[in-house]
């Protein structure tokens, strides 16, 4: 697989605070790479170092196989980025903002391209309105449009759903998936909203206190973890007895709602179901919880 | 680079604050012209009162040139503030608004971007001074007839009306350079800050402090005076001396240009190494 971004042992210290310590990871072509961590964990600092906004104290950033510090111009012309809030020139219109940013990217005669992008982010009808009249969601969408101006290979979105309402979050999620699946873009998306990352990313990194906690494919990382089981059976008392007999090493508990709770490896879940069915106990509901949120909380 | 400068101008002239300087200059010049038109003779009588016993004055000493000269004197106090408002916002404004995150993630060199901003600030400064020149000389012609001009410096110079125009042009030219220094200073502070107010206040504070030091006649300050740019800001007056001391003007111009270069290079050093955290 083609490596798009390779971060090697990146470090940054602000005064006495070690913001990023020895962070390494790799993003491959076609990834939607989740960048996870609590607030203040060093996500934004790492992303800013990748984009040359912050100078690292140590380590190396390789983009498209080139060292960022050696080939900044060539590398940045293949990246689109939206870092934290989408801050535009509020006294200019959406069109003028994109026009200015396009010219900074060295693109001229871009009127059609800008209108096409405004169409994609559903802002074509507000193209000539000043940005100061835009809602947060509209600014975020305009932020996405500006990342696409120069048709980049890699798009970096830092906290793209911050401040958005549920509909805005849904729109953003769909847009990210479209950028990846329909337009073939590689994306790095940082967020502390874990549910979103779980829904969109195929690979991820979790950092905490400036250090890498874990990195890899989301599916494999989740599979390797223990699952929380919540089970409702036709006869809770009998089900509990059967399960305790069948799995003596596991701890099954029954609560006041007649739900049976247990923490167990993912591979045991089909066996639990099978044991109950064989014992003639109806399984009314079987819920397993091992989402990114649990994973995140366990690891940070 | 031309593209970057065009973009800076596009942004600059899309903001209302950019026009404040022009409006302020227009109002001040207009008020002074009207004031001089109404009360000018009284002012002149007061100025020449002490010399009335020694000299005999004939003709109209209140004319378009002398009024323009008075305007030049008064406006060099105000123009630095107007210059600092715009130059002080050039870098810090973008940092404060967060727009550097958009600009610097594009394939733009920081050196070129800062240089484009610096040039834009200096061109804007030049425009302000040229606007002042056009208004003070142009409006002066509406209110007054031209005439010989009396300049009181160390000596009293009476300049023939046919020998004045060029002096105004070069004096305003020098004025542009001296205001460039103020703009460069505000720009330097701007490169250090993420708040637009701080560079304006800082540059004005430095200007006031250095002006006080430049005007103190104490031995300790005499040593540093030649190195303070404020010692040369009023050098435009030298063009109204007779004869003009070209050597002194040349030295003063070199010192001012040296300050501009130093402030620019320092701003460049700071900006190219700066972490964009806003």
């Amino acid at each position: 697989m083609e490596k798009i971004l390779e971060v090697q042992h990146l470090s940054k210290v602000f005064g006495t605070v070690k913001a990023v310590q020895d962070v390494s990871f790799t993003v491959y072509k076609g990834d939607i790479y989740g960048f996870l961590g609590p607030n203040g964990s060093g996500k934004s600092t790492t992303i800013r170092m990748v984009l040359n906004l912050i100078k690292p104290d140590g380590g190396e950033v390789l983009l498209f196989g080139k060292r960022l510090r050696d080939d900044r111009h060539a590398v940045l012309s293949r990246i689109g980025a939206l870092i934290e809030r989408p801050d535009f020139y509020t006294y200019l219109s959406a069109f003028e903002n994109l026009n200015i940013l396009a010219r900074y990217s060295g693109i001229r005669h871009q009127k059609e391209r800008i209108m096409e992008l405004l169409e994609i982010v559903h802002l074509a009808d507000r193209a000539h309105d000043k940005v100061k009249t835009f809602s947060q969601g509209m600014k975020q969408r305009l932020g996405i449009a500006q990342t696409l101006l120069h048709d980049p290979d890699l798009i970096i979105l830092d906290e793209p759903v911050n401040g958005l309402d549920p509909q805005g979050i849904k729109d953003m999620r769909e847009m990210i998936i479209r950028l990846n699946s329909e337009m073939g873009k590689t994306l790095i998306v940082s967020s502390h909203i874990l549910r979103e990352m779980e829904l969109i990313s195929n690979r991820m990194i979790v950092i905490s206190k400036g250090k890498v906690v874990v990195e890899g494919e989301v599916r494999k990382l989740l599979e390797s973890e223990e699952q929380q089981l919540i089970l409702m059976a036709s006869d809770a008392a009998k089900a509990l007895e059967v399960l305790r007999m069948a799995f003596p090493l596991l701890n099954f508990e029954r609560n006041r709602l007649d739900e049976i709770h247990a923490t167990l490896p993912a591979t045991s879940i089909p066996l639990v179901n099978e044991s109950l069915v064989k014992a003639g106990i109806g399984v009314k509901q079987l819920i397993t919880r091992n989402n990114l949120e649990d994973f995140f909380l366990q690891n940070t | 680079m031309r593209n970057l400068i065009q973009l800076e101008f596009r942004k600059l002239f899309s903001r209302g604050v950019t026009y404040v300087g022009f409006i302020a200059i227009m109002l001040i010049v207009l008020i002074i012209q009207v004031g001089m038109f109404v009360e000018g003779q009284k002012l002149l009588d007061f100025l020449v009162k002490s010399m009335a016993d020694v000299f005999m004055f004939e003709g109209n000493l209140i004319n378009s040139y002398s009024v323009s000269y008075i305007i030049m004197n008064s406006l060099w106090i105000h123009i630095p503030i107007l210059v600092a408002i715009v130059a002080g916002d050039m870098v810090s404004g973008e940092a404060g608004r967060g727009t550097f995150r958009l600009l610097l993630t594009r394939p733009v060199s920081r050196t070129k971007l800062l240089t484009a901003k610096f040039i834009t600030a200096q061109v804007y400064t030049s425009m302000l001074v040229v606007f002042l020149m056009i208004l003070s000389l142009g409006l002066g012609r509406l209110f007054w007839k031209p005439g010989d001009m009396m300049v009181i410096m160390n000596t009293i110079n009476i300049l023939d009306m046919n020998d004045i125009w060029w002096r105004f042009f070069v004096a305003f030219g020098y004025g542009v350079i001296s205001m460039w220094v103020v703009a460069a200073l505000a720009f330097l502070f701007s490169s250090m800050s993420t708040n637009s107010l701080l560079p304006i206040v800082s540059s004005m504070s430095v200007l006031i402090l250095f002006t006080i030091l430049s005007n103190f006649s104490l031995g300790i300050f005499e040593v540093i005076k030649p190195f303070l740019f404020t010692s040369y800001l009023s050098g435009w007056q030298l063009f109204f001396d007779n004869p003009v001391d070209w050597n002194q003007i040349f030295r003063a111009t070199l010192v001012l240009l040296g300050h501009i270069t130093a402030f620019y290079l320092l701003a460049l050093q700071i900006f190219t190494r700066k972490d964009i955290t806003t």
Side-chain angles (χ1 to χ4, degrees):
Chain A
M1 271 196 291
E2 185 187 340
K3 286 177 183 172
I4 297 288
L5 167 66
E6 217 178 332
V7 168
Q8 299 168 343
H9 310 291
L10 218 51
S11 309
K12 181 70 184 178
V13 178
F14 292 114
T16 54
V17 179
K18 290 178 180 172
V20 174
Q21 300 175 61
D22 197 30
V23 167
S24 299
F25 61 93
T26 305
V27 178
Y28 297 96
K29 190 175 170 63
D31 275 348
I32 298 182
Y33 193 85
F35 211 95
L36 278 168
N39 287 332
S41 59
K43 296 189 301 287
S44 288
T45 304
T46 305
I47 284 178
R48 283 170 192 248
M49 284 194 281
V50 167
L51 289 164
N52 204 37
L53 291 173
I54 290 179
K55 306 265 185 285
D57 292 328
E60 198 67 74
V61 175
L62 292 158
L63 279 151
F64 310 103
K66 293 173 180 170
R67 290 205 309 183
L68 177 63
R69 57 182 169 170
D70 293 344
D71 227 335
R72 188 181 162 278
H73 192 278
V75 157
L76 288 181
S77 61
R78 295 179 67 183
I79 301 176
L82 176 61
I83 309 298
E84 291 184 17
R85 299 175 315 277
D87 290 312
F88 288 96
Y89 301 103
T90 52
Y91 48 89
L92 296 176
S93 70
F95 183 90
E96 285 169 319
N97 266 286
L98 294 189
N99 191 29
I100 281 180
L101 293 169
R103 287 181 63 184
Y104 275 112
S105 298
I107 308 165
R108 282 181 174 268
H109 312 298
Q110 58 280 342
K111 193 178 171 189
E112 281 176 16
R113 174 73 178 151
I114 290 171
M115 288 314 293
E116 182 191 322
L117 290 174
L118 287 171
E119 200 75 56
I120 290 172
V121 296
H122 310 301
L123 284 174
D125 55 334
R126 301 291 303 271
H128 299 290
D129 290 351
K130 288 194 171 156
V131 171
K132 65 180 165 196
T133 65
F134 282 17
S135 68
Q136 184 65 19
M138 290 161 78
K139 285 182 193 168
Q140 290 282 20
R141 297 209 302 271
L142 187 60
I144 295 286
Q146 65 83 25
T147 66
L148 296 169
L149 274 168
H150 49 300
D151 195 22
D153 298 309
L154 172 65
I155 296 173
I156 299 176
L157 305 174
D158 186 16
E159 303 279 3
V161 295
N162 259 10
L164 296 185
D165 59 20
Q167 184 60 46
I169 292 173
K170 184 172 173 283
D171 290 346
M172 183 62 71
R173 184 196 311 144
E174 287 170 0
M175 198 172 288
I176 289 169
I177 292 169
R178 268 178 64 201
L179 289 172
N180 180 255
S181 60
E182 292 175 20
M183 299 169 80
K185 308 293 181 194
T186 302
L187 287 106
I188 298 173
V189 185
S190 98
S191 181
H192 63 276
I193 302 176
L194 310 166
R195 173 79 183 139
E196 285 310 309
M197 303 307 293
E198 190 179 354
L199 289 171
I200 60 172
S201 52
N202 65 316
R203 297 181 66 247
M204 70 170 186
I205 184 170
V206 178
I207 67 170
S208 178
K209 293 171 188 165
K211 291 179 182 170
V212 177
V213 176
V214 71
E215 198 233 349
E217 280 184 43
V218 173
R219 194 172 47 85
K220 281 187 182 167
L221 289 170
L222 294 182
E223 271 176 4
S224 64
E225 291 302 302
E226 288 199 316
Q227 308 267 314
Q228 260 193 311
L229 174 78
I230 304 166
L231 188 144
M232 287 191 77
S234 55
D235 185 339
K238 196 176 170 191
L240 187 65
E241 196 184 321
V242 168
L243 290 173
R244 281 178 174 165
M245 290 271 288
F247 306 95
L249 296 176
L250 297 178
N251 184 26
F252 290 92
E253 298 287 342
R254 179 181 164 194
N255 68 13
R256 283 184 298 172
L257 299 170
D258 275 346
E259 290 173 345
I260 295 169
H261 287 245
T263 301
L264 69 180
T267 48
S268 302
I269 292 168
L271 302 175
V272 167
N273 191 34
E274 194 184 325
S275 307
L276 293 173
V277 171
K278 274 187 182 168
I281 300 166
V283 176
K284 292 199 285 188
Q285 201 171 30
L286 192 152
I287 303 166
T288 57
R289 275 187 56 212
N290 186 353
N291 56 25
L292 208 47
E293 191 166 332
D294 301 318
F295 182 81
F296 182 79
L297 293 171
Q298 284 161 20
N299 287 282
T300 60
Chain B
M1 179 58 86
R2 211 179 78 185
N3 181 39
L4 292 180
I5 295 170
Q6 280 173 356
L7 289 172
E8 290 305 324
F9 269 100
R10 175 79 191 84
K11 287 188 281 182
L12 183 64
F13 282 97
S14 299
R15 300 177 64 208
V17 72
T18 307
Y19 299 96
V20 168
F22 293 100
I23 293 166
I25 287 173
M26 195 168 70
L27 287 175
I28 294 166
V29 171
L30 203 62
I31 288 166
I32 294 174
Q33 294 276 9
V34 171
M36 287 300 290
F37 190 71
V38 177
E39 299 269 343
Q41 195 56 50
K42 278 186 191 170
L43 178 70
L44 183 73
D45 290 345
F46 174 76
L47 286 174
V48 299
K49 195 177 170 185
S50 59
M51 296 179 275
D53 299 335
V54 188
F55 296 99
M56 193 174 74
F57 295 101
E58 265 187 26
N60 184 17
L61 282 178
I62 295 283
N63 55 52
S64 62
Y65 295 131
S66 54
V67 173
S68 296
Y69 187 82
I70 291 167
I71 289 170
M72 279 185 87
N73 260 305
S74 61
L75 276 190
W76 294 127
I77 302 161
H78 305 105
I79 287 203
I81 301 169
L82 303 175
V83 164
I85 288 172
V86 169
D89 185 65
M90 289 298 287
V91 183
S92 61
E94 297 254 20
R97 282 190 292 272
T99 42
F100 268 144
R101 293 199 306 273
L102 288 176
L103 300 191
L104 296 176
T105 51
R106 298 187 178 272
V108 182
S109 132
R110 283 195 187 197
T111 302
K112 283 184 182 172
L113 183 67
L114 193 90
T115 306
K117 283 184 174 295
F118 186 79
I119 291 169
T120 306
Q122 301 299 19
V123 173
Y124 173 79
T125 304
S126 313
M127 286 167 72
L128 274 186
V129 179
V130 170
F131 185 67
L132 168 67
M133 183 182 79
I134 292 168
L135 269 192
S136 60
L137 290 173
L139 272 182
R141 289 302 290 267
L142 286 181
F143 284 94
W144 317 92
K145 287 179 180 167
D148 294 346
M149 191 172 91
M150 184 180 72
V151 180
I152 305 168
M153 291 204 288
N154 296 327
T155 57
I156 298 170
N157 296 325
I158 306 292
L159 303 171
D160 185 89
M161 62 184 283
N162 297 317
D163 188 36
I164 296 177
W165 264 101
W166 72 270
R167 292 176 191 267
F168 269 109
F169 276 115
V170 285
F172 272 107
Y174 184 93
V176 168
I177 297 172
S178 62
M179 288 304 105
W180 281 352
V181 185
V182 178
L185 178 69
F187 192 85
L188 168 62
F189 284 124
S190 187
S191 69
M192 299 173 183
S193 177
T194 56
N195 172 339
S196 296
L197 195 61
L198 205 63
I200 299 166
V201 173
S202 306
S203 46
M204 284 302 101
S205 305
V206 169
L207 196 66
I208 292 165
L209 177 72
F210 282 13
T211 304
I212 291 169
L213 294 179
S214 299
N215 290 308
F216 252 121
S217 296
L218 289 175
I220 188 169
F221 298 132
E222 291 298 332
V223 182
I224 57 166
K225 264 185 193 178
F227 303 103
L228 299 177
F229 68 88
T230 42
S231 304
Y232 306 95
L233 290 185
S234 57
W236 62 273
Q237 291 175 334
L238 295 170
F239 293 100
F240 295 93
D241 211 349
N242 222 354
V244 175
D245 185 346
W246 292 105
N247 279 336
Q248 197 181 342
I249 289 169
F250 183 68
R251 274 200 307 276
T253 308
L254 278 186
V255 173
L256 293 179
L257 291 175
H259 273 86
I260 294 166
T261 311
F263 291 154
Y264 164 72
L265 291 175
L266 205 52
L268 195 61
Q269 277 295 310
I270 292 165
F271 186 67
T272 49
R273 292 164 185 218
K274 191 176 186 174
D275 285 337
I276 307 297
T277 53
T278 54

